[in-house]
């Protein structure tokens, strides 16, 4: 059996076990994270789409815990960057340091925190635009360049950036070009009463919940490949593109609409959701569900809409109702 | 059966059933329209169309009955109208995709069939799995599942009703004379009695005049101061009237007399206006001729 046949066999095996893998993954993450099923699901969708996610939530909702748990369950290298205004690009990418061996001094590249499989860029809007842009190349090209040397990042590579919606003083809002590079914008809401009671019970004991490894890098890479292979009907594909185009045509509330990258993102995330749900085809429900996180950060509301307190989710809902 | 073959097969089945519904509906609507034509006596209108008037009485003899040109023509009109109505009723049919119909009928195939069909040319693990899934689900689908029984029953009911109506109208000859309602606006005052008299007087003047004379006081012709009795002999008025029938009743003891006496009657014109000096010669001539 050659390597190609082996890959195909592994691929097939992953597909057969995909449903079990996802069930086990969610069950294991659920040991640590109470509720927030949709939030966890969307982070995993971003990962198996080989994209990045922007999470907006208030502090203390378990963003870091969630992403570190996912990294543990997936057996991936995890790093965290706490973004501050004085954070420099080299603090993210890494830098050349002088190393001495036997009296000979030489430069050695010291990897920055971006050299991981999962990177949590906490409060990304607190970093300076210069530092933010350092993440751009890493996000898009999956590589970084330091002192004319280019370094390829390990696969899979996933950035989860967070931002705080309430403390806007002293922040640098992400420019539209950079926002567009995030596949999804996930909004994490407060847990309900029962969930919060469960959280309190779980984290006021001496021992915190532990998780076991469910999968590895290769499984995740196989799942990424499988995601692209999930078929979608022409009808749904047309609807997805029409939804994106509607964001450019519905000028009543929208200042600027989504780019074709959003069309790719919507269809890809719908495929990933179908795979997670154990379906071998994309459903209309997948498209509708994934439209919200795909478009939230890609639509610029008009001043009038903002003044009237209209949210992007309301506009997306209106678009979904119009485009059938 | 492959997904594309299944869709093609079901497409044909649905097309076949659609044609069947259409055929039944065309027949039923034709019968209904024709019944309406008969009921409203629209066939009478053919006689006012100059082009068709001459053909109205043509007929074709069949084994048990005779079919008139007017019936054939009106049935054809009803048939054309029925085709138009049926096509209008079914104009939305083509917009319904076969795959949509199948998916709606079989929830297990919902979104699967369309996805498998749209990705029929793609080969990968998931698409193959989907195709197998669809093929397994379509294996037990029967042709008759796509026969819309409700619609078929409705169509047949319509057919029976329309046939019954036509049968009743034809047998009972139950109809409304709408022909006059249509003709009246075309020919104003056609039913005005005075106008009928005028028309009759103008078209049959001589007949009316004689009728008037027969029914009125005996007329007297005055020629150069001498009255001439023009009263017709008894019985001479008992011929056919203008309707072609003699509607005067005869008394039981009535004996028909001959119209004139069988003898020679000399003309008063000749006897009284003879040229002077030749009276005797002329009289003698006529007397001889009469005795001859």
């Amino acid at each position: 059996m050659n390597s190609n046949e082996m890959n195909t066999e592994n691929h097939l095996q992953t597909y057969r076990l995909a449903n079990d893998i996802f069930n086990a993954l969610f069950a294991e993450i659920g040991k640590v994270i109470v509720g927030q099923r949709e939030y966890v699901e969307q982070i995993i969708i971003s990962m198996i789409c080989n994209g990045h996610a922007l999470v907006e939530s208030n502090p203390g909702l378990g963003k870091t815990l969630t992403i570190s748990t996912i990294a543990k369950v997936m057996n991936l290298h995890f790093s965290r960057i706490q973004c501050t205004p004085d954070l420099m690009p080299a603090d993210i990418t890494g830098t050349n340091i002088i190393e001495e061996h036997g009296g000979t001094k030489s430069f050695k590249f010291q990897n920055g925190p971006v050299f991981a499989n999962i990177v949590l860029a906490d409060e990304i809007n607190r970093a300076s635009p210069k530092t933010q842009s350092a993440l751009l190349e890493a996000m898009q090209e999956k590589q970084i360049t330091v002192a004319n040397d280019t370094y390829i990042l390990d696969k899979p590579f996933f950035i989860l950036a967070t931002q705080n919606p309430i403390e806007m003083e002293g922040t640098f809002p992400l420019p539209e070009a950079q926002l567009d590079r995030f596949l999804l914008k996930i909004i994490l809401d407060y847990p309900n009463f029962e969930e919060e009671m469960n959280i309190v019970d779980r984290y006021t004991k001496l021992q915190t919940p532990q998780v076991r490894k469910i999968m590895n890098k290769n499984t995740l890479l196989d799942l990424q490949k499988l995601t692209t292979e999930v078929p979608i009907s022409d009808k749904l594909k047309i609807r997805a593109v029409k939804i994106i185009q509607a964001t450019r045509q519905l000028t009543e509330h929208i200042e600027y609409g989504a780019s074709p990258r959003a069309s790719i993102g919507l269809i890809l995330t719908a495929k990933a959701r179908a795979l997670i749900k154990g379906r071998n085809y994309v459903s209309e429900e997948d498209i509708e569900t994934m439209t919200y996180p795909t478009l939230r950060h890609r639509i610029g509301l008009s001043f009038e809409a903002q003044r009237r307190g209209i949210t992007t989710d309301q506009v997306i809902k209106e678009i979904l109702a119009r485009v059938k | 059966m492959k997904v594309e073959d299944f869709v093609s097969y079901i497409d044909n089945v649905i097309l076949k059933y659609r044609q069947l519904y259409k055929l039944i509906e065309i027949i039923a609507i034709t019968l209904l329209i024709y019944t309406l034509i008969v009921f409203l006596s629209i066939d009478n209108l053919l006689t006012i169309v100059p082009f068709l008037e001459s053909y109205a009485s043509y007929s074709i003899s069949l084994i048990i009955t005779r079919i008139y040109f007017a019936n054939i023509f009106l049935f054809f009109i009803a048939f054309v109208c029925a085709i138009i109505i049926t096509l209008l009723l079914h104009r939305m049919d083509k917009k319904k995709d076969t795959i949509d119909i199948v998916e709606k009928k079989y929830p297990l195939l919902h979104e699967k069939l369309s996805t498998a069909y749209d990705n029929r040319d793609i080969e990968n693990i998931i698409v193959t799995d989907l195709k197998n899934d669809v093929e397994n689900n379509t294996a037990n689908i029967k042709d008759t599942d796509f026969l819309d029984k409700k619609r078929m029953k409705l169509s047949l009911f319509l057919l029976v009703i329309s046939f019954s109506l036509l049968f009743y109208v034809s047998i009972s000859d139950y109809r409304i004379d709408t022909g006059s309602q249509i003709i009246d606006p075309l020919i104003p005052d056609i039913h005005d009695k005075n106008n009928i008299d005028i028309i009759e007087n103008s078209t049959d003047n001589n007949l009316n005049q004689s009728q008037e004379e027969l029914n009125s006081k005996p007329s007297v012709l005055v020629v150069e101061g001498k009255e001439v009795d023009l009263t017709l002999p008894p019985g001479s008025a008992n011929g056919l009237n203008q309707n072609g029938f003699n509607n005067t009743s005869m008394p039981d003891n009535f004996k028909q007399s001959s119209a004139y006496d069988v003898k020679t009657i000399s003309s008063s014109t000749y006897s009284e206006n003879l040229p002077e000096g030749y009276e005797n010669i002329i009289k003698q001539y006529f007397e001889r001729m009469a005795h001859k």
Side-chain angles (χ1 to χ4, degrees), chain B residues 85-100:
Chain B
I85 291 168
T86 310
L87 290 178
L88 285 174
L89 287 172
H90 289 268
R91 71 187 189 282
M92 297 297 287
D93 284 359
K94 284 183 181 174
K95 290 178 184 174
K96 286 182 188 170
D97 190 29
T98 303
I99 292 172
D100 286 344

Side-chain angles (χ1 to χ4, degrees), chain B residues 5 10 18 24 26 36 56 61 69 77 84 115 128 166-167 169 175 192 197 260 265-266 270:
Chain B
D5 294 338
I10 296 299
R18 277 181 187 165
I24 294 171
I26 285 173
L36 201 66
S61 181
F69 167 79
I77 296 282
I84 293 166
T115 310
T128 306
L166 180 61
F167 185 75
V169 169
R175 51 169 70 191
D192 189 342
D197 291 344
Y260 299 97
I265 302 170
S266 60
Y270 290 108

Side-chain angles (χ1 to χ4, degrees), chain A residues 11 15 232 234 280 283-284, chain B residues 111 118-119 125-126 129-130:
Chain A
H11 196 53
Y15 174 62
I232 180 171
D234 291 348
N280 48 17
S283 166
E284 194 160 13
Chain B
E111 293 182 330
D118 291 340
N119 293 276
I125 296 167
I126 303 178
D129 183 49
L130 177 67

Side-chain angles (χ1 to χ4, degrees), chain A residues 46-53 76-77 79 81 92 112-121 134-144 152-160 217 220-221 224:
Chain A
S46 291
M47 291 176 78
I48 63 171
C49 285
N50 200 15
H52 311 283
L76 298 172
H77 180 214
S79 67
I81 305 164
I92 294 173
V114 80
F115 284 87
N117 297 120
I118 298 179
V119 178
L120 173 65
L135 279 172
L136 280 176
E137 188 187 6
M139 286 169 70
Q140 193 62 32
E141 308 297 332
K142 310 285 168 73
Q143 64 180 33
I144 56 153
I152 305 294
L153 298 172
D154 192 18
K155 286 181 183 176
F157 177 71
F158 172 68
I159 288 183
L160 181 79
K217 274 185 202 177
L220 184 59
L221 292 173
Q224 285 181 347

Side-chain angles (χ1 to χ4, degrees), chain B residues 24-25 28 149-162:
Chain B
I24 294 171
E25 283 168 23
K149 292 181 180 71
K150 193 179 171 185
R151 188 173 174 183
M152 190 56 131
K153 281 178 188 171
L154 193 72
S155 299
L156 288 172
F157 177 73
L158 187 70
L159 186 66
V160 170
I161 290 290
S162 53

Side-chain angles (χ1 to χ4, degrees), chain A residues 203-260:
Chain A
Y203 289 96
T204 51
K205 292 173 186 171
L206 185 63
Q207 287 184 328
T208 52
Q210 296 298 310
V211 291
R212 60 191 173 92
K213 295 178 179 68
I214 297 294
M215 54 197 275
N216 56 31
K217 274 185 202 177
N218 291 333
T219 313
L220 184 59
L221 292 173
D222 275 342
L223 288 172
Q224 285 181 347
K225 193 169 179 243
L226 281 173
T227 300
T228 58
E229 292 181 353
V230 175
I232 180 171
S233 66
D234 291 348
K235 187 180 157 189
L236 287 182
K237 213 184 288 178
I238 289 166
R239 192 179 176 212
V241 174
K242 279 185 176 175
I243 287 168
I244 303 303
Q245 290 204 329
T247 64
R248 299 169 213 153
Q249 290 154 3
L250 191 76
T251 52
E252 192 184 345
H253 301 307
I254 298 173
E255 185 78 33
Y256 60 88
S259 67

